Amino acid sequence: MTVEIAAVALVAVLLGALIKSISGIGFPMVTIPLISYVADVETAVAITAVPNLAVNAVLAFQERAHRRHTRDLPILAATGFVGAVFGTLVLVSVPEEPLIALLVLVVVVYAVLFFANPELRLDNATTRRGAPMVGLLAGTLQGAIGISGPVLVSWLHSYRLPRNAHIFAVTTLFAAAGIAQTPTLALSGEMDGRWGVALAACVPALATVPVGTRLRNAISSDVFDRLVVSVLVASALGLAIRTFV
């Protein structure tokens, strides 16, 4: 691991952790492309996995008092697991372009609906019926192409939970995915020679969490909602550019 890669990783992790701590999303979206400028994608994914898991776990624990304001997390997690198995075993050989296009379409449609009607909110009955299908879709995309966050976050944002409850919900689901991802990377050898930088990156990432939390608490609910949707749109555009351009 070169000094250049370590330096870029540090900057990427600081920026990614800041965005993550404010909005609950965005860590891999920032770190992987930036690190990929000086290293291969496999290295970027390996370096990102550990601090991303650490930040998700800390944020979920930090906001655990707000779990009573969330809903549907167990069913989203369970159906997501089933979908991930299906995606890994059945769809892994399918070209990723159609699946990426579907993911981008989901985010764009939700963003259009949100900005057209900022008060958009799904009621309990609707989310209870829809959560199993969303969990299956998100899990399938995770298993097939390794990306599910934009779908999950779009769905959870439509609940319009209090901001800290939203943070708890998304980081809990992402932490669960990270707990599955990191051992898989280790067993496959992807972490070999990269553990040092990945573990060291946890220090600046976790040090940034209090800063991001204070900034999140300082903004209004409207600004928070717009920030989350803007990060989602940026994520979708980044995926589209990476895949189709």
Side-chain angles (χ1 to χ4, degrees), residues 20-21 24 27 49-64 167-168 170-179 202 206 209:
K20 175 79 174 181
S21 301
F27 193 101
V50 180
N52 189 38
L53 171 58
V55 171
N56 277 311
V58 168
L59 285 170
F61 182 78
Q62 178 178 285
E63 305 300 342
R64 66 193 183 281
I167 296 293
F168 174 80
V170 296
T171 55
T172 296
L173 292 174
F174 288 159
I179 290 170
C202 292
L206 294 177
V209 169

Side-chain angles (χ1 to χ4, degrees), residues 156-201:
L156 286 170
H157 185 260
S158 71
Y159 289 31
R160 307 307 289 275
L161 301 172
R163 76 181 78 182
N164 291 337
H166 174 84
I167 296 293
F168 174 80
V170 296
T171 55
T172 296
L173 292 174
F174 288 159
I179 290 170
Q181 178 193 32
T182 304
T184 302
L185 290 172
L187 291 172
S188 67
E190 293 294 333
M191 298 300 298
D192 293 351
R194 297 160 177 158
W195 276 111
V197 174
L199 291 172

Side-chain angles (χ1 to χ4, degrees), residues 12-106:
V13 164
L14 285 170
L15 182 58
L18 181 63
I19 294 173
K20 175 79 174 181
S21 301
I22 298 172
S23 67
I25 57 177
F27 193 101
M29 183 192 77
V30 172
T31 56
I32 292 176
L34 286 178
I35 298 172
S36 296
Y37 280 116
V38 295
D40 55 54
V41 174
E42 289 77 12
T43 297
V45 170
I47 291 174
T48 294
V50 180
N52 189 38
L53 171 58
V55 171
N56 277 311
V58 168
L59 285 170
F61 182 78
Q62 178 178 285
E63 305 300 342
R64 66 193 183 281
H66 300 276
R67 62 185 179 275
R68 65 183 182 276
H69 299 300
T70 66
R71 58 185 192 267
D72 302 329
L73 291 187
I75 190 64
L76 285 168
T79 55
F81 178 82
V82 173
V85 172
F86 174 76
T88 301
L89 296 179
V90 179
L91 296 181
V92 70
S93 60
V94 173
E96 72 172 14
E97 287 80 4
L99 299 177
I100 294 287
L102 173 62
L103 188 152
V104 171
L105 178 63
V106 168

